Amino acid sequence: MTPQMLIAAAHIPAPHVPFGGLSPLLAFLGGALIVLMVGLMSPRRVREQGVPALAIIALGAAIGLTIWQWGDQRSILDGALRIDGTYLVANLILATGGIAAVLLAWRSAAGHEAAHGELHALLLSSLGGMSLLTAAQNTVVLFLGLELLSIPLYVLCATEMRRERSLESGLKYLIIGSVGSATLLYGLALIYGATGSSSFGAIAGAISARSLTGDVMLLGGITLAIAGFCFKASVAPFHQWTPDVYEGAPTPITAFMAVATKVGALVAFLRFFDVALIGASGDWAPTVAVLAAITIIVGNVGALGQSSLKRMLAYSSVAQAGYMLAGVVVASKLGVRATLLYLIVYLFMNMAAFAVIVARERETSFGDDIQAVAGIGRSRPWLAWPLTLSMLGLAGIPATAGFVGKFYLIDAAVSGGYTWLGVVIVIGSMISLAYYLPVVAAMWMREAPASAAAPAAGPSGEPGPSGSPYPAIAGGSPELDEAGSAPAHGGPHGEVVLVAVLAGAATLFFGIVPQPLFDLVAHAGRGLGLF
Amino acid sequence: MPPLSVLIWLPAAFGLRGALAGIGPLGRALARDGREQLVPGALALIASIAALGLAIGYIVEYGPGTQSGQTVTQTLQHVTNVAWIPALGIHYKLGVDGLNVLLIGLTTLVFAVAMLAANLRSGPGATERPRLYYFFFMLAESAVLGAFLAQDLALFVAFFDLMLIPFYFLMGMWGRGSRPDRIKATIKLVIYTLVGSLLMLAAAIATGVLASQQHGTHITFALSSLQALPLSKGSQEWIFLFFAAAFLVKMPAFPLQGWMPDGYRTMPIEVLMVFSGVLSKVGAYGFLAIVLPLFPKAAVHFQMLMLLIALISILYGSVVAFTQTDARLIAGYSSIAQLGFITLGIFALQPQGAEGALLQMVNHGLVVAPIFFIIFLLSRRAGGSEDIKDMGGIAFRAPVLATLFLVVALATLAMPGSANFVGEFMILLGLFKSKLVIAIIAFAGVAGASVYALRLFIRSMHNRVGEGVRSREISARDGLILAPLIGAILFLALYPQPALKRSEGSASAAIAEARLIAAPTVARVGAEEVSTPVVHSTPHLTVASGRHGSR
């Protein structure tokens, strides 16, 4: 490097980097690096306990930094990112979901097989991608965030390396996810071609200034972008991968994907469509509304009759994505708030459910089959109540946060002139009762199957006349059984029960006292941009 | 009187304390004696009796409107009004008016009796897992009271949906029959009824949002505010249908009764008493308190449809009731017929009809709960069977039981002298004024009621003594359970006036607007006779009536 070049470099105006605004993102990514390095240390204790602890510290720091930024509203890095209420609320959801996922993964088989350091580093960098995605104000950053989110997840799905389904899940997700990314990228390129800009604000300006609403290139771009987003958010008809991937992935990872990917994808959806393409909303809103309706019906119908709880929750998450799209469609402040509020509620309800599944996978040999929760109302009330509240919440029963969330979404849909979509949400909820209620029935109204080997089954644990004896290996592969039976002797895992109880309690609490959630999202809609 | 929240949440609080029995010094002391199983039941009994006491207090204190002149405005008493979710305009607003004051009395009475029955059922038939049982039972009472007292549409919907959840557990965990059948019946019932209430959720949200949009005001769900912001006729119509679906399922009315036979057969006896005695009334109450005041135009538009549904329910319920041999189903189908009468009274859109319907709601609750309990007693004397073919001759050694049953049976068939007679008479009177033909057909239902009620009585109490029947007198314990209900039936038979006086103002106010729209001239003449300020002081009513008059 010659001295001239150095001098020239000094003259290039270095962009001002506002580290304050970036700090939550940096906490995620920095945490990922530290965790990865610490994971290389040899003492077993450090790897198995220090690494998750550090990951939780990093996530806690992200929450702290997010709260520090509270109320901030500005664009940073030359308008590439936007720090606003939506970003901050999304970060809170992400970090909370991340902590729950780390706790669930702490003593899981995935952690043992893939090294702990890698597992948590991937988790944190995926969170970093989501965080970036929720702040993106630029198609390039948007794509960058999406890829940073996705690639670690492809690996994470396959972290139970000795289980075929896990590997299959990772591969499937990789292929489908890449198709989705490519489609989105193509769409973004076409939109760039039509508007001549990659910044959301400039795209919106170009659309309104040049009245591009019927432009073929723009329409093509929007169509492909919708398809790409729909792949990521598992919106029908691009949801086919969801059940297989959710079922195959290690359960803590499934929990993380179900919650965090939805946050990333939906907030990006909100920003891109409700800010950049707001001028063309006449073009895309009816399409997305129809997609939302299809998603709600397809997801809820698909979940019927599933005996695997993870598959059932996968279809249910498809349906929930449909509900939340209703908030995107109306393209209003109310819609943004309703979507964010539902994302928070959705976090609690899903974490409670997945934590119970994780606990039961370790305690019984049934894996994630519905048999695994049969009769736990009597033997494991601390798991049965959270799962009950979660199921009732997902079905939208009053006194749970799910009711409030659904109420707000329908409210937003009706206010935005999409009354029919509100009715579809309700019809979806009706269908959903047919698969949520049997789970509750299994917990409270059936006896534990004979071989569940729940230690605390008590005097009533003997099978009723109708309880059919299942062979001990009914759960599936031997690896799973091995993973499931090993910790069972060590007693239930406190941290898993803790996640379940806290998430269940939050579901109930925010159903009765929802005001804090409304306060939280109140200033989120304001800063989005162009309303 | 204490605020209404005390009444609503007292049962749930005691139920929760009961569920946590075994915690705290008292719980531990009892646990040492091995008596902790009795604590939840005792707490639930105390709570339900205290709630009954409170409810009686509210009834006594409730005066029928302002006495000066002949004012018949709806006065809301003991109002609690707190913003619950300000962002959505949802208030935690409770109040007692003429529509719900008697119904909370009915609710607390039937629940208290059910708790008495559950507590006295000791020995081998005692409830398993009492902590959860009484917790869910008390939660149910809280939710039902909340639904009756809510003065905010969203709050009503929340309570309405919520009250089903405890019944889901109560039926599924403690129901009769084999486990898979029981679970199937439970899920069927819950899905049937929740499907209706979810439609209502969408309709309720639409009501609030569209009302605020059409009038350019801030969103609110308070019933009083919504009443002042009438929706356009088109919106009213689809919203009406959604609400009607929810309420008709709950009643149940004719095409929507599919959950009833399996559900009624599955429920444990106390749950059945409460479900048939109280929950079916929430639907009918919803029509009077919510649908007619908020969607009067649609109510008039669909008046004929609703009357036909009610009429078919009466005929269908009566006919099926006297072909069934399962005693529970006889009573169940008779309820369909009775609820049909109540619907007729409401949609006659005449003050007498609405008043009669309200009275009949209370009467039916008071009658059907003891009938189910008597059927339970009969089945114990007939070797456990609830089929009337297996009964017969039970009166032989049980004159007191037979007398009590006869009182209830005669009340069911609306014998002159019973309050049911007054109720049915007023319903038909109201109907005569508006729809003569339907009233004439409905008389067939009155005849039908005497056939099925007497058939049930004669086949079980008289006739040839059944094979497995061992007639014995009603025990003091069971007599104690029946006494409050039969006492209430007799009291209302002798003094229907206090009940009517409390409800007439609110009942006629509830239908006033729909009545004006249905028959503007007649209603106005009638209104001038009693000089209702409701009519003169609200200009938009006259506008509406004028438009419809010219049609």
Side-chain angles (χ1 to χ4, degrees), chain B residues 192 248-249 252-262 316 320 333 336:
Chain B
Y192 244 105
L248 289 176
V249 172
F254 165 61
L256 304 169
Q257 87 290 10
W259 56 267
M260 196 276 288
D262 285 348
Y316 173 85
V320 181
Y333 282 106
I336 293 183

Side-chain angles (χ1 to χ4, degrees), chain B residues 96-351:
Chain B
V96 176
D97 64 9
L99 296 179
N100 59 24
V101 66
L102 295 176
L103 291 171
I104 58 170
L106 171 72
T107 307
T108 49
L109 177 64
V110 175
F111 266 97
V113 168
M115 286 296 89
L116 198 61
N119 269 289
L120 291 179
R121 193 156 45 85
S122 55
T127 312
E128 281 178 54
R129 303 166 82 179
R131 294 191 296 182
L132 279 178
Y133 184 75
Y134 290 105
F135 170 67
F136 284 127
F137 226 115
M138 289 292 96
L139 192 62
E141 178 165 5
S142 287
V144 174
L145 287 173
F148 278 132
L149 290 171
Q151 300 296 333
D152 181 285
L153 189 56
L155 191 67
F156 173 80
V157 172
F159 277 124
F160 192 86
D161 287 2
L162 181 65
M163 70 188 178
L164 214 56
I165 299 305
F167 283 101
Y168 171 68
F169 287 99
L170 287 172
M171 250 182 97
M173 290 170 75
W174 291 275
R176 312 183 315 157
S178 74
R179 201 182 294 271
D181 288 353
R182 187 205 306 169
I183 294 178
K184 211 181 286 169
T186 309
I187 290 183
K188 187 167 155 191
L189 178 142
V190 172
I191 288 183
Y192 244 105
T193 33
L194 270 184
V195 159
S197 16
L198 283 170
L199 283 176
M200 183 172 74
L201 172 67
I205 297 173
T207 307
V209 172
L210 295 178
S212 69
Q213 278 180 354
Q214 287 174 7
H215 295 268
T217 55
H218 197 265
I219 183 165
T220 174
F221 284 94
L223 288 180
S224 50
S225 320
L226 286 176
Q227 215 175 334
L229 306 169
L231 292 173
S232 67
K233 187 157 184 281
S235 313
Q236 281 192 14
E237 284 175 6
W238 72 264
I239 290 174
F240 174 91
L241 289 178
F242 279 24
F243 270 96
F247 295 149
L248 289 176
V249 172
K250 198 67 131 203
M251 284 173 138
F254 165 61
L256 304 169
Q257 87 290 10
W259 56 267
M260 196 276 288
D262 285 348
Y264 275 20
R265 267 197 298 247
T266 306
M267 286 180 204
I269 179 67
E270 301 96 10
V271 177
L272 181 58
M273 288 164 79
V274 167
F275 202 94
S276 60
V278 178
L279 259 78
S280 55
K281 310 303 171 299
V282 186
Y285 168 78
F287 276 123
L288 266 184
I290 295 188
V291 169
L292 287 176
L294 293 191
F295 318 115
K297 287 177 195 163
V300 173
H301 186 89
F302 291 115
Q303 183 189 11
M304 217 43 212
L305 174 72
M306 298 303 297
L307 287 176
L308 283 178
I309 288 177
L311 200 58
I312 296 171
S313 296
I314 294 175
L315 298 178
Y316 173 85
S318 304
V319 169
V320 181
F322 53 71
T323 56
Q324 291 292 321
T325 58
D326 185 325
R328 278 197 183 199
L329 291 191
I330 294 176
Y333 282 106
S334 83
S335 297
I336 293 183
Q338 299 282 330
L339 266 299
F341 259 109
I342 293 170
T343 317
L344 273 188
I346 294 169
F347 280 91
L349 303 182
Q350 293 290 329

Side-chain angles (χ1 to χ4, degrees), chain A residues 149-170:
Chain A
L149 172 172
S150 304
I151 293 169
L153 272 182
Y154 303 148
V155 186
L156 280 172
C157 284
T159 39
E160 271 182 28
M161 288 180 292
R162 280 180 289 164
R163 198 161 56 88
E164 206 181 323
R165 300 296 296 274
S166 175
L167 297 178
E168 180 196 326
S169 152

